[in-house]
């Protein structure tokens, strides 16, 4: 149950795009379609942004998109806005009744 | 409106026990798997445990296996986490979350557990 690997930080100017990677193994990210992404602002509970690799829950702007290639999933935030500044975590089903989160990425809007 | 409200956190001595509760409302509780996730303040999210619809199937992170027990009462629409043999490294904010399509689509506000003498 090792954490998925994410970059510590990412940044972009308003209006630009930022992409965050999430690297796991064939036993988690690469083996299942159940990859999700969460946004967390300081002092708040996490919020689901992407599920099943590419799907957006109702109410999440289409500026947020997800993808996966092999054992690496990615979250792209297009048209960066000030309110996108937050911590982002990926998560993946890992077989049986197990789940694993990523190490987290701090996104800064310059 | 889906609501998840955790309670039961607090200060506990190492080796002690504590039971967390998560009161659910606004959805058919018995129709969803449920999970616990924890987060040391300033650190990342860590999956803790998962329970099936009827409570018969459970899963745990290696770090809590044998010490924590997840359960649910569908009649009371409440999720529980019984924690025993608590260690300093169990200090964290504990969140309950609803599982949907392999993701955690709704989260509670969290309850802080501090293990310290």
């Amino acid at each position: 149950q090792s954490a998925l690997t994410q970059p510590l930080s990412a940044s972009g100017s308003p209006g630009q795009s930022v992409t965050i990677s999430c690297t796991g193994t064939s036993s988690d990210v690469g083996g299942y379609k159940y990859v999700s992404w969460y946004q967390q602002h300081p002092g708040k509970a996490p919020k689901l942004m992407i599920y099943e690799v590419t799907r957006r829950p109702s109410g999440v702007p289409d500026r947020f998109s997800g993808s996966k290639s092999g054992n690496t999933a990615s979250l792209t935030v297009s048209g960066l806005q000030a309110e996108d500044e937050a911590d982002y975590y990926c998560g993946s089903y890992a077989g049986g009744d197990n789940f694993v989160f990523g190490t987290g990425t701090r996104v800064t809007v310059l | 409106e889906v609501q998840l409200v955790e309670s039961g956190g607090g200060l506990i001595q190492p080796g002690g026990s504590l039971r967390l509760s998560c009161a659910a409302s606004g959805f058919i509780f018995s129709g969803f798997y449920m999970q616990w996730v924890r987060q040391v303040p300033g650190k990342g999210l860590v999956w803790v445990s998962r329970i099936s619809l009827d409570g018969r199937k459970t899963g745990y992170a290696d770090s809590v296996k044998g010490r924590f027990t997840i359960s649910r009462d569908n009649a009371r629409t409440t999720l529980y986490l019984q924690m025993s043999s608590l260690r300093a490294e169990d200090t964290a904010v504990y969140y309950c979350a609803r599982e949907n399509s392999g993701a955690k689509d709704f989260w509670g506000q969290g309850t802080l557990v501090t293990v310290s003498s």
Side-chain angles (χ1 to χ4, degrees):
Chain A
Q1 293 177 345
S2 298
L4 309 175
T5 301
Q6 296 180 234
L8 266 177
S9 62
S11 63
S13 299
Q16 289 186 331
S17 295
V18 65
T19 296
I20 305 166
S21 62
C22 168
T23 301
T25 69
S26 57
S27 296
D28 38 62
V29 173
Y32 306 97
K33 70 174 184 177
Y34 298 113
V35 176
S36 47
W37 288 91
Y38 304 87
Q39 177 191 66
Q40 187 179 34
H41 288 109
K44 301 294 187 182
K47 175 187 176 184
L48 178 64
M49 305 302 284
I50 296 287
Y51 69 102
E52 290 183 2
V53 180
T54 61
R55 303 181 70 175
R56 268 188 318 276
S58 172
V60 172
D62 59 7
R63 303 184 291 104
F64 292 85
S65 63
S67 63
K68 188 180 83 165
S69 177
N71 297 336
T72 298
S74 298
L75 173 72
T76 297
V77 185
S78 306
L80 265 176
Q81 298 184 3
E83 60 262 35
D84 300 332
E85 186 161 293
D87 293 326
Y88 291 82
Y89 296 89
C90 61
S92 175
Y93 177 64
D97 285 295
N98 298 306
F99 291 83
V100 62
F101 282 103
T103 49
T105 299
R106 172 71 52 87
V107 169
T108 302
V109 181
L110 301 170
Chain B
E1 178 195 5
V2 172
Q3 282 202 316
L4 298 171
V5 180
E6 302 94 338
S7 60
L11 176 64
I12 186 77
Q13 290 192 336
S17 297
L18 205 60
R19 188 178 82 158
L20 304 183
S21 299
C22 171
S25 61
F27 66 102
I28 301 173
F29 182 71
S30 58
F32 292 86
Y33 278 60
M34 296 294 294
Q35 301 193 18
W36 288 98
V37 175
R38 69 184 182 184
Q39 184 175 36
V40 174
K43 302 295 184 182
L45 300 173
V46 176
W47 174 76
V48 173
S49 186
R50 178 206 203 202
I51 190 167
S52 63
L53 304 182
D54 60 5
R56 293 185 182 183
K57 274 191 62 180
T58 58
Y60 300 91
D62 288 343
S63 57
V64 307
K65 205 172 291 184
R67 300 187 299 121
F68 290 13
T69 302
I70 190 172
S71 62
R72 65 191 297 165
D73 185 333
N74 286 342
R76 298 178 187 269
T77 66
T78 302
L79 176 72
Y80 302 101
L81 186 68
Q82 178 69 46
M83 305 184 294
S84 61
S85 301
L86 283 162
R87 307 165 180 166
E89 53 265 37
D90 295 318
T91 294
V93 174
Y94 285 74
Y95 295 99
C96 70
R98 189 180 81 168
E99 181 185 328
N100 194 4
S101 296
K104 299 146 205 27
D105 64 345
F106 285 94
W107 298 65
Q109 84 289 350
T111 186
L112 177 63
V113 172
T114 303
V115 184
S116 174
S117 54

